[in-house]
Amino acid sequence: MTEHSTAGAYVTQGSEFVRDQNYLTTRITVDGAEGWPVEAGRYRLVVSRACPWANRAIIVRRLLGLEDAISMGVCGPTHDVRSWTFDLDPGGVDPVLGIPRIQDAYFARDPQYPRGITVPALVDVPTGQVVTNDYAQMTLDLSTQWTAYHRAGAPDLYPEPLRDEIDQVARAVFTDVNNGVYRCGFAGSQESYDRAHRRLFGRLDWLSERLSGQRYLVGDTITEADIRLFTTLVRFDAVYHGHFKCNRSKLTEMPVLWAYARDLFQTPGFGDTIDFDHIKRHYYVVHEDINPTRIVPAGPDLSGWLTPHGREVLGGRPFGDGTPPGPVREGEQVDPAHTASAMRG
């Protein structure tokens, strides 16, 4: 997710990183109370596989089987001063929206749109306008508002009896881990980096303890909380450990979290959404003030993601009373050269 209007300017010297959380919070709901009703085929989910926040939406859409109801446009892993581009598509234009940059959909909504041009974004295809880029609410609404279009066997990722606990865990994970790695990487002073680093690894230790005796974060099935943690863990050794200086330990050196992350990675709907090449190229190329050479490191060896994790002994039912999703849709597969099995450093 780009948080600023210009590529390469992410660190403010002497300051702590503060994420701009002013999003377009319009919701797409069953009753259409805010003017945007749930309607199959009307909206397009625009993502980048590089972005952890967008990765959440990719996973949830796939687990719930919403591919037929909500199409997906994929931006390339890097962007310039004018935002994410559809450079992976023929002619550099999204085939459904007919635009070269996601900023065009933001300006269709508001020609003077003043904030960050971010992914994920849900776009209304008839008008070409971004409806929402509120990624946290977006995935909850996919679970709760789009139930009429869920596949048979779709899991309940936000079960009502557990929502308070899921929300509580997700807040802690966001503050100290999801956003914590950015607070380390974009710290503008030693003091702000040190604080963020302590909080990050303190929370990772807390998560390790929590997960040492249970397979998933809340209850005995995969929930929204697991998805939110996973998208940071899967990027940890590839970018956050080195690029963002989150280097007390690699993920591979934290046995419980490493096994937990591999368990999810090997679950249909998780690892098959991960493009390690896009992830590495985004962070190392776009963040020029952290990596001015824009050299993308060759490592690490990522084949370990496919090794046995042993978490089955803790029980749990990944999809609850539901079933795994089927094969990835034609045209939505990750390039085989960008997968864990292919990237050995």
Side-chain angles (χ1 to χ4, degrees), residues 232-253:
T232 295
L233 295 183
V234 79
R235 288 162 173 76
F236 203 89
D237 287 4
V239 288
Y240 300 145
H241 177 268
H243 183 60
F244 277 178
K245 307 180 184 71
C246 302
N247 61 357
R248 187 201 76 178
S249 312
K250 296 177 182 175
L251 178 63
T252 55
E253 297 165 346

Side-chain angles (χ1 to χ4, degrees), residues 261-331:
R262 297 201 316 280
D263 186 4
L264 291 176
F265 186 90
Q266 294 169 31
T267 299
F270 284 82
D272 53 32
T273 72
I274 302 302
D275 188 315
F276 283 113
D277 175 80
H278 283 201
I279 288 168
K280 289 169 60 176
R281 279 201 285 145
H282 170 72
Y283 285 91
Y284 283 103
V285 171
V286 171
H287 301 155
E288 293 179 53
D289 49 353
I290 298 175
N291 185 40
T293 66
R294 306 176 82 188
I295 292 171
V296 181
D301 183 344
L302 297 166
S303 59
W305 282 100
L306 304 176
T307 60
H309 53 78
R311 296 279 293 179
E312 304 93 338
V313 300
L314 295 173
R317 302 174 302 144
F319 299 102
D321 295 328
T323 58
V328 179
R329 291 294 179 92
E330 186 67 31

